[in-house]
Amino acid sequence: MDSVMDVPRARARPRTRRIVVVFAAFAVLAGVTLVVRWFATRAPSVSRGDLWIGTVERGPLTLEVRGTGTLQPTDFRWASAPVAARIDKVLVQAGAQVDEDTVLIELSNPDAELAALNADRDVAAAEAELARLSAQLDGARLAQESTVATLSGDSAMAKRRSEMDTAMAAKGVIPTIESAESKDRATQLDGRLTFEQQRLAALRRGNAAQLEAQKSQVDRLRALADFHHKQLEALHVRAGQKGVVQQIAVEAGQSVAVGAPLARVVVPDHLRARLRIPEASTEDVTLGLHASIDTRAGVVDGEVERIDPAAQNGSVTVDVRLTGALPKGARVDQNVDGVIELARTGDVLHVSRPAIGEAHQTIKLFKIEGGTARRVPVKLGRAALKDIEIASGLSAGDQVVLSDMSRWDGVDRLRIE
């Protein structure tokens, strides 16, 4: 009996061990799976000390927008080449104080010099022709006046003889036919006198017209000569206004085309600030708004006088007219910072400006909830210098991470340690 009962017990032990091993393997596999899933779904951690955390507050806000730019002249002049020429001498350099008649650059152009000489020759020839024509016409006029004077005397004498012969014929002293001949001669001379007088008048009108035409020719050639001499004089390029030479754009020996810019002269005391404002922040910028321009040497008041209608590279150019006195040392093209005051609000939600995000944009910020930070969408409103309005997405008292969190893109939850 005992030997029969021992055989089944000996066979049952291996099966039990296999079952235990299988269950143990499943348990280990399940544990490993749970551990892997826990690590895979566990939020990344970040130190609180490495974060810039801000608290949403409610209260009044001074709306402002900031931009950077440079000081630009409002009164400047480009000196340009009057003709195609070669640069002979550059007499001043950038930074030089100049007056209106200061010669900046000397040019040379043989064609301009030759044109001036030819113009002078043409004027001299035209004036000589005017003198010759005037003498010739005066001679013709004098000859005609002499003819008229002679006929006038002959006509007067013939009239007196005709009257005498008529009286004598009436008394029978001379024949009637002789009296008639005297009368006919007087009539003939009177007719010739009238004709020559008309001819003299026509001659005078013709002479005046010829002289006027020649004088016009002389005047035209003189004007042309003056033009060429002005071009020749313009080869001595002058400043044209009192100020400071900001830029010399050419060098000695260089050839330039007509109209090429040579030098820029500015009035250093007449400056404006030209700011570049982020495109998203210009919605509330209007003409006449007060602005403060930081020149590094002092802050100058101003007002917005122009807003560029087009945006370039994500920014809009805004010109600010300076109403305050410029500090000493302010220069053209000097870098400046500008703050434009938009308005003052009532009680609104606001928070310090985050590292990423501009006015009227919707961004995602990490909102701190206990020991974790969860990414939430936040719509920004109008911007101040240091704070920005919260249009929606947050409430007063909420704490949000304002640091640049771009390295956590794709992560919606963080553990705060």
Side-chain angles (χ1 to χ4, degrees):
M1 292 289 293
D2 293 338
S3 60
V4 175
M5 294 298 293
D6 289 340
V7 174
R9 289 197 191 99
R11 291 179 177 176
R13 288 192 189 113
R15 180 181 298 174
T16 302
R17 284 197 296 273
R18 286 197 298 271
I19 293 172
V20 171
V21 170
V22 170
F23 274 106
F26 273 113
V28 171
L29 181 60
V32 170
T33 302
L34 290 175
V35 170
V36 171
R37 287 184 178 179
W38 183 79
F39 276 107
T41 58
R42 188 185 186 195
S45 63
V46 61
S47 173
R48 180 181 286 268
D50 295 336
L51 300 177
W52 173 28
I53 298 175
T55 302
V56 178
E57 300 177 353
R58 179 179 290 278
L61 188 64
T62 300
L63 302 177
E64 298 167 322
V65 61
R66 176 187 291 274
T68 60
T70 57
L71 294 178
Q72 295 293 319
T74 60
D75 189 1
F76 64 91
R77 178 181 181 272
W78 272 104
S80 58
V83 294
R86 185 176 66 86
I87 308 298
D88 267 356
K89 296 179 182 179
V90 177
L91 303 178
V92 299
Q93 296 298 326
Q97 297 277 347
V98 295
D99 292 324
E100 183 176 354
D101 293 331
T102 302
V103 178
L104 307 179
I105 298 170
E106 289 187 354
L107 309 176
S108 64
N109 184 322
D111 291 337
E113 296 175 4
L114 180 61
L117 292 174
N118 289 336
D120 290 340
R121 182 199 62 192
D122 293 341
V123 169
E127 288 176 341
E129 175 62 19
L130 176 61
R132 186 198 65 79
L133 181 62
S134 179
Q136 177 184 346
L137 296 179
D138 282 346
R141 176 181 56 80
L142 290 173
Q144 183 63 26
E145 288 177 349
S146 176
T147 301
V148 170
T150 300
L151 285 175
S152 178
D154 292 345
S155 177
M157 184 177 294
K159 285 182 179 180
R160 288 194 298 271
R161 183 58 183 266
S162 175
E163 291 174 356
M164 185 184 301
D165 288 349
T166 301
M168 293 177 67
K171 294 177 180 180
V173 177
I174 62 173
T176 304
I177 189 171
E178 187 175 345
S179 172
E181 288 177 355
S182 297
K183 186 177 181 179
D184 290 342
R185 178 173 174 77
T187 302
Q188 181 183 10
L189 288 175
D190 187 59
R192 285 186 58 192
L193 176 61
T194 301
F195 173 76
E196 293 299 336
Q197 287 175 338
Q198 293 176 350
R199 185 177 178 183
L200 177 61
L203 183 63
R204 286 173 175 170
R205 290 194 298 270
N207 289 355
Q210 292 185 65
L211 289 175
E212 188 64 29
Q214 187 61 29
K215 287 179 181 179
S216 297
Q217 176 72 356
V218 171
D219 292 341
R220 185 183 68 82
L221 292 176
R222 281 177 181 167
L224 186 60
D226 289 343
F227 171 76
H228 285 297
H229 280 286
K230 287 180 180 178
Q231 279 194 328
L232 202 60
E233 176 62 22
L235 294 178
H236 304 287
V237 180
R238 302 181 186 275
Q241 68 178 14
K242 185 177 181 180
V244 175
V245 178
Q246 181 191 6
Q247 180 183 355
I248 297 292
V250 293
E251 297 178 353
Q254 181 179 343
S255 295
V256 293
V258 57
L262 305 179
R264 192 185 194 202
V265 179
V266 303
V267 179
D269 298 333
H270 300 172
L271 301 177
R272 68 162 63 92
R274 179 159 292 173
L275 304 177
R276 294 180 296 277
I277 305 297
E279 183 180 0
S281 302
T282 57
E283 180 178 343
D284 300 315
V285 178
T286 58
L287 298 179
L289 290 178
H290 177 266
S292 299
I293 305 300
D294 185 357
T295 66
R296 311 294 194 275
V299 178
V300 183
D301 290 333
E303 64 178 28
V304 176
E305 68 173 357
R306 188 186 74 90
I307 303 172
D308 199 315
Q312 294 183 353
N313 300 323
S315 63
V316 175
T317 299
V318 176
D319 286 346
V320 176
R321 181 175 62 87
L322 302 181
T323 57
L326 282 169
K328 292 182 178 179
R331 299 177 180 271
V332 176
D333 290 334
Q334 177 179 336
N335 291 328
V336 296
D337 293 327
V339 176
I340 300 174
E341 184 177 318
L342 303 178
R344 297 178 185 271
T345 69
D347 286 344
V348 295
L349 291 175
H350 60 89
V351 71
S352 297
R353 299 188 67 162
I356 299 177
E358 295 293 341
H360 307 290
Q361 290 184 344
T362 298
I363 61 175
K364 287 190 176 182
L365 297 176
F366 280 100
K367 176 181 176 182
I368 297 178
E369 298 172 339
T372 63
R374 180 172 56 88
R375 194 186 295 270
V376 297
V378 177
K379 184 176 181 180
L380 303 178
R382 298 165 293 179
L385 183 59
K386 296 181 179 179
D387 293 351
I388 194 165
E389 181 184 7
I390 301 298
S392 63
L394 296 173
S395 302
D398 288 346
Q399 288 189 317
V400 290
V401 178
L402 304 176
S403 312
D404 182 2
M405 303 296 284
S406 56
R407 66 191 182 100
W408 298 111
D409 286 348
V411 176
D412 292 332
R413 189 166 62 90
L414 294 171
R415 289 185 300 110
I416 307 299
E417 297 181 350

